[in-house]
Amino acid sequence: MSTRPFLWRMAAYHPRLFWTGVLQWLPFNLSPIFIGLLMKLFFDNLTGYTDTPLSPWIIVVLFAVNVLVTLISIRLASRTETELNFRMKGLIRQNLLAHILRQPGARAVPGSPGEAVSQFRDDVEQLADTFRNFNLLIVKTISFISAVAVLFYMNTAMTLGVILPLLVVFYLIQYSVVRMHSRFRPRGNGRRELSGFMSEVFQSVLAVKAAGAEDSVVEEFARLSDDRRRQVVRERMMSQLMYALLPNLVQIGSGLLLLSGAVYLQPGSFSMGEFALFVHLLLHMSKYIEYSGTAVTQIRQVKGYLKRLSWLLQRSQAVSAIDLRPLDMSQEPSLTEVPAVSEKRQFKQLEAKNLSYLYPGSTKGVRHINLRIERGSFVVIAGRIGSGKTTLLRVILGLLPSLGGEVRWNNRRIGNPDEFFVPPRTAYIPQVPNLYNGTLKENILLGLAEEGLEEAIYSAVLEDDITALPDGLDTVVGVKGVKLSNGQIQRAAAARMFVRRSELLVFDDMSSALDVETESKLWERLTGRKEATCLVVTHRMAALRRADHILVLKDGGIESQGSFEELMESSEEFRSLVNENAGVRPG
Ligand SMILES: Nc1ncnc2c1ncn2[C@@H]1O[C@H](COP(=O)(O)OP(=O)(O)OP(=O)(O)O)[C@@H](O)[C@H]1O
């Protein structure tokens, strides 16, 4: 979407605020014209140029009224402007977030999370600021046109002969300076790269220390900082040059006006008051030209911001697809409930046919996978490290896009698996689940009503841990759950899954964090739950023994499948997995 339609679409999002802002800024922006007219009156009175002299006190009172009206205008308009600005930022960010959350989960953002956060903050900030300037530009244009009209009315010859040519010259100079500025201005200012890098470093302090890479991290930080310093200095220099040039030109213009007033006009045809009005409004109008120059340049950059945000959303026209649905401005988000599944739509079976996925630029992934899961069954995916187990789960759930094949739910082809495979149909625990810096209870519920919480905690074998925690369920777990053990994080994620009462439960290798006994207990308790249809990546005997069906993956393909006994008989790969597992973990 190009700039203008985008800005008008944003304006149409909240027309009341947008136009109230315009109206409230008008008195402040028209005030220079009013002051100019008062100056004319004052000087004409002083020089006896008028037939109807006014008491100077009336002029003083009119000045005071103007100040009062201006103050009220600023007070009201700033409030409206701030509200509009925050609403716009909220609106764009909410839409971005909604888009990102709809992307296949494992590839939600294209770059690093740090870069995404930086764009989420800076590009949105810039877009909202540009929108504010767009709103102001309308007000200032009305004020400019009014000033020209007043000057025309006062002295058409002077306006046509001196003022308008001067304004055209100002405009041309301003235009060339702005063009030069945007041509030589550095494209980025290095901020995104720098904050992206820092965010990654903060997220991987342990890895940096473990690799002894502190020095190279500091070096990279110094290099990026230096780049940013150079770019910012260059940008500042260009802007300062631009801002220094224009006011001086205006002073020269006023001098020219004075000279032409003396030379060009007949004596007596240009009063002292008119001269004061013309000089005053010339200054006002030149400020408009200066402002509009920068505002228009900023507005032109909208296209760039939209393009960058489209990259973040991994769609060429993503921002134009922004759905301007109203923001929920209520303070407390309402508790949600997972909708119940009607009997008719109950899960019966899931079929995956010929699924394939290769990681971009690599030959690794999964190929031609077929699989069937019946309601109430316990299906295990086994295989060595790197055989493709996680990839397969993600492709089935639409977290990675399949390169072919199809997934069918109750014999219905699923076109958008990433949106379909969510509670109450499916819940998924990745190998490393994510907890947020809130209480344990908040982490389990994630906005859900509390119904079924206790039962979920019991099924997740978490009840003893909660009793041992200092504040029980209200214990704050820290960023990514750092205050909990890995096993507790896994089981908190399991409780989060169970409380959503989904029909198909997908687990990606809990064994890395759970001891044998706890894992067995978890599978036992799970069997007692009525919705328990499970798809599980594991190598633990407790799960393999319980499995109705086992798929053995090797190098991204299905090596063999069947029951535990069948595979022990027919599959060399499975036998060696089981045997290795008796001693060493195979993957
Ligand atoms: N983002 C990625 N880019 C490129 N290759 C990848 C990526 N993620 C995984 N792979 C490769 O794809 C293959 C399958 O990986 P996957 O994580 O699915 O294996 P896995 O069986 O789940 O392994 P593990 O037991 O360690 O979890 C591996 O060879 C892995 O190196």
Side-chain angles (χ1 to χ4, degrees), residues 128-406:
D129 280 353
T130 308
F131 183 69
R132 176 180 26 213
N133 276 334
F134 173 61
N135 186 273
L136 274 182
L137 189 64
I138 295 175
V139 184
K140 288 187 183 289
T141 306
I142 296 174
S143 158
F144 177 79
I145 294 170
S146 312
V148 173
V150 167
L151 293 187
F152 254 108
Y153 178 75
M154 290 292 165
N155 194 324
T156 311
M158 189 70 170
T159 308
L160 281 178
V162 182
I163 297 289
L164 288 184
L166 262 180
L167 289 176
V168 170
V169 172
F170 286 170
Y171 171 76
L172 289 176
I173 294 173
Q174 162 83 6
Y175 180 75
S176 359
V177 173
V178 168
R179 285 220 50 155
M180 244 170 60
H181 180 243
S182 51
R183 187 154 170 209
F184 294 110
R185 196 171 57 104
R187 286 293 141 229
N189 60 14
R191 186 170 167 172
R192 193 177 92 179
E193 291 76 4
L194 190 59
S195 39
F197 175 73
M198 285 320 294
S199 154
E200 279 195 274
V201 171
F202 291 149
Q203 281 176 44
S204 47
V205 172
L206 264 182
V208 172
K209 288 182 90 159
E214 290 94 334
D215 286 347
S216 36
V217 166
V218 171
E219 261 170 44
E220 181 63 4
F221 178 63
R223 190 187 65 77
L224 287 170
S225 304
D226 210 42
D227 273 359
R228 175 157 159 72
R229 182 186 54 78
R230 252 181 279 124
Q231 287 173 3
V232 169
V233 167
R234 218 170 120 191
E235 188 181 352
R236 287 275 155 83
M237 213 180 74
M238 294 300 294
S239 322
Q240 292 310 316
L241 194 70
M242 187 174 92
Y243 291 124
L245 210 62
L246 242 100
N248 292 320
L249 288 172
V250 173
Q251 305 298 333
I252 296 170
S254 309
L256 283 176
L257 182 70
L258 193 60
L259 283 176
S260 35
V263 174
Y264 174 67
L265 295 168
Q266 299 292 319
S269 66
F270 198 48
S271 73
M272 178 76 172
E274 273 176 315
F275 176 73
L277 173 71
F278 270 63
V279 170
H280 179 71
L281 286 191
L282 180 66
L283 187 74
H284 170 59
M285 291 191 295
S286 67
K287 279 195 182 145
Y288 167 79
I289 291 177
E290 185 182 339
Y291 174 81
S292 64
T294 18
V296 168
T297 317
Q298 196 188 18
I299 286 171
R300 283 212 188 105
Q301 288 167 5
V302 163
K303 228 174 170 169
Y305 300 132
L306 293 181
K307 211 166 148 193
R308 289 228 296 267
L309 289 175
S310 290
W311 174 80
L312 175 68
L313 301 181
Q314 308 178 69
R315 294 165 59 150
S316 55
Q317 288 296 312
V319 187
S320 64
I322 271 186
D323 146 32
L324 299 185
R325 74 184 124 141
L327 280 175
D328 181 4
M329 300 292 277
S330 59
Q331 295 297 309
E332 285 291 324
S334 51
L335 294 178
T336 51
E337 276 183 25
V338 176
V341 181
S342 69
E343 209 160 305
K344 201 171 135 224
R345 296 186 168 221
Q346 254 180 10
F347 170 61
K348 294 181 190 73
Q349 84 280 109
L350 175 92
E351 253 183 303
K353 292 187 179 166
N354 201 22
L355 290 188
S356 294
Y357 178 79
L358 295 181
Y359 287 97
S362 131
T363 52
K364 306 276 184 185
V366 289
R367 290 182 195 81
H368 313 299
I369 304 283
N370 294 304
L371 122 111
R372 190 180 165 96
I373 303 169
E374 299 290 342
R375 181 181 179 81
S377 62
F378 193 97
V379 176
V380 169
I381 301 178
R384 293 173 189 280
I385 291 174
S387 55
K389 305 180 292 293
T390 299
T391 310
L392 175 59
L393 291 188
R394 291 183 169 185
V395 177
I396 295 173
L397 297 175
L399 300 171
L400 288 171
S402 174
L403 298 177
E406 59 177 16

